[in-house]
Amino acid sequence: MTKSKADEEEYWNSSKFKAFTFDDEDDELIRLKESRQAVNSIRPLVDEDDDEDDVEKVSWSGEPVGSISWSVKETAASNQRTDREPAFPKIPTDTPSLSKSQSGYSLSSLFKGKTKGGNFQSFTDTFSESSVRLYAPELRKPKSEYKDYVSDWSPEETIQRLQQGKTAPLEKFRSLQDKLLLLDFAVSAHDGNVITAVLIYLKRTLSKEVLFRELESRQTALRHFIHYLTETKDQRLLLELLRALGRTEDVALLQYKEHLSIADENKRRDFLKSCLSLPFSAEDSAHVQDHYTLLERQIIIEATDRQAERGGKVEIFQKFPRRASILNMPLITTLYYCCFYHYTEAEGTYSSPLNIRQTFKISEKQYFVTALAARAKLKAWLDVDALFTSRNWLGFTRKKSPLSFHRVVDILQKNSAPTRVLQDYVGLVEDPDTRISLAQKHKCHDIVINTYRDMKDRQLLLGYRGKVGRGSAEERKIDELLNNQQIRWKN
């Protein structure tokens, strides 16, 4: 599509682009010539000292300046001068400040080896003038701090550094005397971490015989070392140490504790049986024997009860399914389990509570509390009542308890005993005030009324009449007592 002449002129006049003309080439040529003249005008300023280029410049040794040999010698001379200079020169206070106008040096003279005055000078000499050199002084540290960078500390200084949390290598102390000094200073410092650090170093660098011998006379360090071996579970070295010290009972107890790591109950039982021959004290030997006997009995009871539970023929296992295995449970837990599931069994069986009480010599009070809690949990109130019933030599029965009846009431109440059961035992509390408090708490109205009657306190009885239900049996009972002429009230 062609444009008209008028449109083309309007395009070139309105656009930022201009149409090509032959005059543009002339303008470019003029600008190029002006640039060349500017460059030529600068050259005389740079080459003002180049008039002497035809003269050969030589140093005092007769070698041309700028040659390879001249450069090597100049470098060596500069190094020698630097070596002879002091390490920390003083800064002259009267050093004049250098400026471009006052300095006798130019950029071209520095590289050509001469000054504006015409004297030849090397590049290194130019910067080695004392009036030009500036030095930044290095501040020295106090002499007391230089020991942080060396390792010539004494044993005492080493312990002090360890206490301060600083690094202090112990490997430099190689003689036995120095190592024992380290240990003694660590003990004197009363710092358990430092003592342990030194003991670890001694353990690594001394033979067991020497270490055990030296620790025997240092009881504080010995206790720390035993604790360290216990925490790190180094059983082998700990057993060797205890044997070397002649502590046979500790060795036996340490071996006995290994049963904790045995998961299988049959293997644990066999291990406990092997521990019976270890040199325990008389008391510890009895405990180990009881432990073995208890685990052996638990294995038998567990196997029998698991089979009965799976068979589904035993009623108590159906009403109250077992929540956990009895294996490895404590003695009192085992007694509670047997009182719960096997309370009526004959004394000759392994699971009989009476058999367990006799075998392990459980006290009457402990047996009573355990059996009471188990039977109250089952709401077996007849069995609970039988626990308190005793007969004298005349055949009369009465309620007797190795516990205070106040504690008995608490146990029964925690197991949701009904009021009719609670009031039988609240009435057996000896202290009147405690009895009234418990009776009011558990709403045993008859106990409160009878206690006020026994106290012959008419006013308290009248006050309590307002707390019982209107028209109830308790209100009628209070009215009968108040109208009884045979009672001599004290108020």
Side-chain angles (χ1 to χ4, degrees):
M1 183 176 179
T2 59
K3 294 182 180 181
S4 64
K5 185 175 181 180
D7 293 337
E8 290 181 356
E9 290 178 356
E10 183 181 358
Y11 170 78
W12 291 115
N13 291 331
S14 62
S15 174
K16 62 181 180 179
F17 299 100
K18 293 182 180 182
F20 173 78
T21 61
F22 287 98
D23 295 334
D24 293 342
E25 185 175 1
D26 295 336
D27 294 339
E28 293 292 337
L29 183 59
I30 291 171
R31 286 196 295 271
L32 181 60
K33 288 180 179 181
E34 289 176 354
S35 299
R36 184 174 297 175
Q37 289 175 1
V39 173
N40 293 334
S41 64
I42 296 175
R43 183 175 298 173
L45 297 177
V46 178
D47 297 333
E48 61 180 0
D49 293 330
D50 289 348
D51 298 333
E52 298 176 3
D53 286 346
D54 56 339
V55 180
E56 185 178 5
K57 302 176 180 62
V58 296
S59 65
W60 292 103
S61 61
E63 296 175 352
V65 176
S67 64
I68 296 176
S69 59
W70 173 80
S71 299
V72 172
K73 290 183 178 181
E74 283 297 304
T75 304
S78 176
N79 293 336
Q80 291 176 2
R81 283 193 296 272
T82 304
D83 295 337
R84 290 194 298 268
E85 289 170 359
F88 301 97
K90 296 182 179 180
I91 301 176
T93 58
D94 56 348
T95 302
S97 61
L98 298 177
S99 63
K100 184 174 181 182
S101 60
Q102 296 177 354
S103 176
Y105 300 92
S106 65
L107 185 61
S108 60
S109 63
L110 290 176
F111 285 93
K112 292 181 179 179
K114 63 180 181 179
T115 64
K116 286 185 177 180
N119 296 325
F120 294 96
Q121 199 169 15
S122 67
F123 183 79
T124 55
D125 291 339
T126 301
F127 284 98
S128 63
E129 291 293 331
S130 61
S131 62
V132 181
R133 290 174 298 179
L134 297 176
Y135 293 90
E138 182 180 350
L139 299 178
R140 292 179 179 268
K141 293 186 177 181
K143 292 183 179 180
S144 60
E145 296 186 15
Y146 276 109
K147 282 195 173 183
D148 288 345
Y149 301 96
V150 294
S151 58
D152 56 346
W153 307 296
S154 65
E156 185 176 8
E157 291 172 334
T158 301
I159 297 302
Q160 292 175 355
R161 286 181 60 83
L162 290 176
Q163 280 187 288
Q164 296 169 3
K166 298 180 180 179
T167 57
L170 303 180
E171 287 74 11
K172 59 166 291 187
F173 301 102
R174 299 184 179 180
S175 66
L176 178 60
Q177 182 180 2
D178 288 343
K179 294 176 182 178
L180 295 179
L181 282 175
L182 275 177
L183 183 58
D184 292 337
F185 281 124
V187 172
S188 301
H190 305 289
D191 192 323
N193 293 331
V194 177
I195 296 174
T196 303
V198 174
L199 287 172
I200 293 174
Y201 173 64
L202 298 185
K203 172 178 173 287
R204 190 173 69 249
T205 58
L206 292 179
S207 64
K208 291 182 291 186
E209 293 77 10
V210 174
L211 179 60
F212 295 166
R213 184 188 68 228
E214 298 298 336
L215 287 178
E216 189 173 4
S217 60
R218 295 169 173 84
Q219 291 300 312
T220 302
L222 177 61
R223 288 194 297 271
H224 278 272
F225 192 58
I226 292 175
H227 181 73
Y228 165 74
L229 295 178
T230 303
E231 291 295 320
T232 56
K233 295 181 173 54
D234 193 346
Q235 298 289 98
R236 182 184 58 80
L237 185 59
L238 183 56
L239 284 173
E240 292 181 10
L241 172 61
L242 295 176
R243 289 194 184 100
L245 298 175
R247 295 165 62 167
T248 56
E249 293 183 8
D250 292 336
V251 173
L253 289 174
L254 189 62
Q255 288 181 318
Y256 167 70
K257 288 181 180 179
E258 292 181 7
H259 80 273
L260 298 173
S261 61
I262 303 175
D264 183 76
E265 60 273 10
N266 293 310
K267 292 181 179 180
R268 180 179 289 195
R269 177 197 58 195
D270 296 339
F271 178 81
L272 290 174
K273 186 176 182 179
S274 66
C275 290
L276 296 176
S277 59
L278 294 177
F280 293 103
S281 63
E283 184 179 1
D284 291 339
S285 179
H287 287 312
V288 175
Q289 178 66 54
D290 287 344
H291 190 179
Y292 165 73
T293 305
L294 178 63
L295 181 57
E296 185 179 33
R297 181 167 300 206
Q298 287 174 345
I299 292 174
I300 297 173
I301 296 173
E302 176 66 21
T304 304
D305 289 356
R306 187 187 297 119
Q307 185 177 1
E309 188 176 24
R310 290 175 180 175
K313 297 181 180 179
V314 181
E315 182 181 0
I316 190 170
F317 288 117
Q318 300 302 315
K319 289 184 177 181
F320 304 96
R322 300 189 313 152
R323 295 182 179 180
S325 170
I326 195 178
L327 294 174
N328 300 312
M329 291 297 175
L331 175 60
I332 298 302
T333 305
T334 305
L335 177 62
Y336 181 90
Y337 177 91
C338 292
C339 288
F340 194 93
Y341 290 106
H342 305 281
Y343 187 71
T344 58
E345 290 186 6
E347 188 175 348
T349 60
Y350 280 123
S351 55
S352 169
L354 295 176
N355 188 302
I356 292 177
R357 174 187 176 182
Q358 182 179 0
T359 301
F360 297 99
K361 298 179 176 59
I362 298 175
S363 66
E364 179 186 2
K365 185 175 182 179
Q366 185 66 71
Y367 175 81
F368 181 86
V369 172
T370 307
L372 176 63
R375 303 317 293 174
K377 185 72 173 178
L378 287 170
K379 308 293 189 294
W381 307 122
L382 293 178
D383 293 338
V384 170
D385 187 69
L387 286 171
F388 296 93
T389 303
S390 63
R391 293 180 179 274
N392 58 14
W393 61 280
L394 293 176
F396 296 102
T397 61
R398 64 187 185 93
K399 292 186 181 297
K400 181 181 178 182
S401 170
L403 284 179
S404 66
F405 282 101
H406 183 190
R407 180 81 177 96
V408 171
V409 171
D410 290 340
I411 295 174
L412 295 176
Q413 188 272 332
K414 288 179 181 179
N415 288 280
S416 305
T419 303
R420 63 176 182 81
V421 175
L422 287 175
Q423 68 181 4
D424 292 342
Y425 300 98
V426 171
L428 297 174
V429 177
E430 294 182 1
D431 182 63
D433 295 333
T434 304
R435 189 192 316 145
I436 292 172
S437 176
L438 288 173
Q440 291 177 349
K441 178 181 177 181
H442 301 295
K443 294 181 171 34
C444 300
H445 300 297
D446 287 343
I447 302 297
V448 178
I449 295 171
N450 293 335
T451 303
Y452 287 154
R453 180 201 60 192
D454 296 340
M455 294 171 63
K456 295 181 173 56
D457 197 323
R458 182 183 180 87
Q459 297 301 322
L460 289 176
L461 193 59
L462 282 171
Y464 193 73
R465 184 178 183 275
K467 297 180 182 181
V468 299
R470 184 175 298 274
S472 62
E474 290 81 7
E475 186 181 35
R476 290 193 298 272
K477 183 176 181 179
I478 292 174
D479 291 338
E480 290 177 1
L481 291 174
L482 293 174
N483 297 325
N484 190 343
Q485 299 298 327
Q486 296 181 354
I487 300 176
R488 297 182 179 181
W489 305 100
K490 66 179 183 180
N491 51 20

